[in-house]
Amino acid sequence: MTRRDLIQKWAVYGLGLVPIWLLDACILPRYPLWGVVPMLLPLAAAAVAVLEGASAGTGFGLAVGLLWELAYPGGFGGLVLYMALAGMAMGAVSQYALSQSFLGCLICAGGALGLLELLRMARMLFINAAGLSELLQVAVPEFLWSLAWTPLVWLLFRAVYNRVGGTKLA
């Protein structure tokens, strides 16, 4: 691929992230289910990492983490590093252990969301913000509700991949 093709490819991936971010930031917070709002940005990073591999997943995860930190209040910068590492791990796992399919994306997204929920719960337990049972009452529905959005995110980024990506996906 030429430099122009690469720039165009990642610009289209960035444009594909816009509707996911708008859903995540503007629409879904108005309609919580079970009292929780899903997290769609990790799903976007998972989809691109599964489709494009470890190095591209790292870069896209970094961009998603940066967007997440800049667009939502109360961040401390940890999501940038977490999403970059998660993108790298999901891309590597999908390249070498799983298939580059919806099932691979679902497994990788579940792992990334689960670890993120565990880290959030550990932080809240550390600062004594809530008890374990209260945290689980939020984390489990949030995890499940977020994971339920994986098909939509996968279909969007698979369409982008089929348009501008490589030939890895059958």
Side-chain angles (χ1 to χ4, degrees), residues 44-100:
V48 173
V50 166
L51 290 168
E52 292 287 342
S55 60
T58 304
F60 195 76
L62 183 80
V64 166
L66 189 60
L67 172 67
W68 204 351
E69 287 288 357
L70 294 174
Y72 299 95
F76 65 96
L79 286 172
V80 176
L81 179 63
Y82 175 77
M83 291 308 298
L85 292 173
M88 180 180 63
M90 290 182 289
V93 166
S94 71
Q95 274 182 304
Y96 301 114
L98 298 173
S99 64
Q100 293 173 314

Side-chain angles (χ1 to χ4, degrees), residues 111-153:
L113 286 169
L115 183 59
L116 184 60
E117 291 292 352
L118 286 174
L119 291 171
R120 285 178 161 184
M121 286 176 36
R123 181 176 154 255
M124 290 297 170
L125 287 171
F126 182 73
I127 63 172
N128 291 325
L132 182 61
S133 62
E134 291 89 7
L135 292 173
L136 285 172
Q137 288 176 354
V138 173
V140 171
E142 186 176 50
F143 171 81
L144 294 173
W145 185 217
S146 297
L147 210 54
W149 286 87
T150 305
L152 174 75
V153 174

Side-chain angles (χ1 to χ4, degrees), residues 9-92:
K9 170 183 171 177
W10 289 106
V12 173
Y13 272 120
L15 287 174
L17 184 61
V18 170
I20 300 300
W21 175 58
L22 288 175
L23 265 174
D24 189 74
C26 300
I27 297 169
L28 292 176
R30 295 177 183 261
Y31 308 104
L33 183 66
W34 302 314
V36 296
V37 176
M39 297 180 289
L40 302 184
L41 293 179
L43 302 178
V48 173
V50 166
L51 290 168
E52 292 287 342
S55 60
T58 304
F60 195 76
L62 183 80
V64 166
L66 189 60
L67 172 67
W68 204 351
E69 287 288 357
L70 294 174
Y72 299 95
F76 65 96
L79 286 172
V80 176
L81 179 63
Y82 175 77
M83 291 308 298
L85 292 173
M88 180 180 63
M90 290 182 289

